[in-house]
Amino acid sequence: MLDEQAKKTLLRLIPHGIYICGVRDGEELNGFTASWVMQASFTPPLVVNCVRQDSRSHAMIEASGVFTLSFLEAGQKDLAQKFFKPQRRNGNKFEDVEFYTGETGCPIIKDSLGYVECQVVGSVKKGDHTVYVGEVIAAGVHREGQPLLLESTGWNYGG
């Protein structure tokens, strides 16, 4: 028998970094706050990025097969919060955020620790998220610093 409270408590103990996932479909750009991310392979370099299936960004990754992850620094909670709301409710999330596009054409946050650009090489659709496996095709470091962690924000995404 599943103890719902125990499940929620324990799953929320899994540590997560906070990233801005940049996506594109043609000329349309979007971004969202991602926390279910991890490295999955050295050779080739692979990352896993879990994306909610009912989001516009999910549809954009499905169409383009690419995404970026901008690594946020501790103290950038406000920036992360800006990208939580869906685009249809929030409008252009990049309106007052400096960014540039990389090899994939996806947005990269200028004021981040750095980024990886990924080409989707696999996916698993189960539950309410799709697990995308992205091969890192480009990366860059903007500066050194400590990463923003979910536990430091007081937010819960999991359980």
Side-chain angles (χ1 to χ4, degrees):
M1 178 199 289
L2 178 61
D3 178 332
E4 283 293 324
Q5 189 55 50
K7 173 207 57 122
K8 183 179 274 190
T9 298
L10 292 170
L11 290 179
R12 286 183 175 173
L13 291 177
I14 297 172
H16 299 283
I18 302 286
Y19 314 86
I20 301 302
C21 181
V23 296
R24 74 159 175 84
D25 183 12
E27 297 300 311
E28 183 182 2
L29 300 178
N30 195 20
F32 65 94
T33 303
S35 65
W36 290 355
V37 172
M38 64 180 259
Q39 184 176 350
S41 171
F42 290 116
T43 308
L46 300 176
V47 296
V48 170
N49 182 16
C50 301
V51 182
R52 193 170 175 94
Q53 291 176 6
D54 64 356
S55 69
R56 175 70 187 126
S57 292
H58 183 277
M60 293 172 78
I61 293 171
E62 287 288 305
S64 69
V66 291
F67 63 88
T68 58
L69 292 168
S70 293
F71 291 63
L72 297 184
E73 185 173 17
Q76 289 187 307
K77 179 179 174 180
D78 290 344
L79 180 57
Q81 193 160 14
K82 178 177 183 52
F83 285 86
F84 260 127
K85 293 191 173 129
Q87 186 176 25
R88 61 187 167 274
R89 285 192 295 167
N90 203 42
N92 181 1
K93 297 176 191 178
F94 290 99
E95 191 168 55
D96 60 352
V97 175
E98 284 192 66
F99 72 95
Y100 60 98
T101 57
E103 291 180 29
T104 61
C106 295
I108 297 165
I109 305 292
K110 260 188 179 178
D111 187 25
S112 66
L113 295 175
Y115 68 92
V116 293
E117 293 190 75
C118 299
Q119 175 76 47
V120 174
V121 294
S123 64
V124 177
K125 292 183 181 179
K126 296 288 182 189
D128 56 9
H129 282 63
T130 296
V131 178
Y132 287 106
V133 178
E135 182 171 351
V136 177
I137 59 171
V141 175
H142 295 144
R143 65 175 185 275
E144 291 186 16
Q146 294 300 309
L148 179 61
L149 301 177
L150 184 63
E151 65 185 29
S152 72
T153 66
W155 302 332
N156 289 315
Y157 191 75

